[in-house]
Amino acid sequence: LSPEEMSDAGSTSSRILRIVIAWEIFKDFFWFGSGLMTSPFIYPDYGWFWVNYDGGAHNLYLYLLRETGIIGFIGFMLFFFYFLKMSLADYRNSEFKMERNIFAGFILFQVAILIDGIFSGLLMYPSIIFLFLGYAYIYSYKFLGRSDVKEKV
């Protein structure tokens, strides 16, 4: 590739092309997707040859649809919204101020990840790690019956 072609890899037009290609791949692999981590192998078949630039669509939802199909996408969303629903219920039912604050922060974090997914190619590893650490921390209170702060709401 020429230097001119390489400098265009981050442009808006190349991002739009990546979105279109991701949608085309999803339509071709509707049920189960093309498989995890298949970008370098499948994108050239759809006209994307800049493998060094991943070929991702910069959209978590298109990424999931493309790689896992509608089955994986629905599974991910059900998992995510199940924990969001649990967090909201626990926020409403918590008796202690610190617990409520922790649940509120965690709910905001989950919503922020969903919004960030519109603009990010995939959940980056730090986001996933913090998300699961948050789930573990929050639900250790619930399942172990812990409440360190006794200040009621």
Side-chain angles (χ1 to χ4, degrees):
L1 296 174
S2 70
E4 294 81 28
E5 291 173 318
M6 293 299 281
S7 67
D8 189 46
S11 71
T12 302
S13 61
S14 72
R15 287 178 184 240
I16 291 170
L17 177 61
R18 288 187 246 183
I19 289 170
V20 169
I21 290 173
W23 186 253
E24 292 300 317
I25 294 170
F26 164 64
K27 289 190 318 186
D28 289 346
F29 297 90
F30 182 79
W31 291 107
F32 299 105
S34 62
L36 296 175
M37 308 294 285
T38 58
S39 293
F41 309 108
I42 199 160
Y43 263 74
D45 295 340
Y46 290 83
W48 184 264
F49 298 102
W50 295 337
V51 177
N52 292 342
Y53 291 96
D54 178 311
H58 293 281
N59 182 301
L60 170 67
Y61 308 107
L62 278 174
Y63 177 83
L64 286 170
L65 286 167
R66 176 180 59 82
E67 290 202 351
T68 64
I70 198 72
I71 303 290
F73 179 77
I74 289 172
F76 173 82
M77 296 309 283
L78 286 174
F79 172 81
F80 205 93
F81 281 109
Y82 170 77
F83 280 103
L84 184 59
K85 182 181 173 186
M86 280 181 56
S87 299
L88 286 167
D90 289 338
Y91 171 79
R92 288 186 194 111
N93 297 329
S94 58
E95 299 177 18
F96 301 102
K97 188 175 184 179
M98 177 146 178
E99 244 178 27
R100 282 189 87 124
N101 290 342
I102 290 171
F103 282 121
F106 194 58
I107 290 165
L108 290 173
F109 178 67
Q110 290 175 85
V111 170
I113 285 179
L114 288 173
I115 293 170
D116 180 61
I118 298 169
F119 309 104
S120 296
L122 56 127
L123 286 173
M124 294 298 162
Y125 294 113
S127 298
I128 293 171
I129 290 169
F130 283 119
L131 185 65
F132 286 110
L133 284 175
Y135 286 146
Y137 179 75
I138 293 297
Y139 292 103
S140 69
Y141 276 88
K142 180 178 179 178
F143 296 119
L144 299 177
R146 291 175 41 198
S147 195
D148 298 336
V149 178
K150 304 296 182 201
E151 183 182 346
K152 292 213 178 211
V153 177

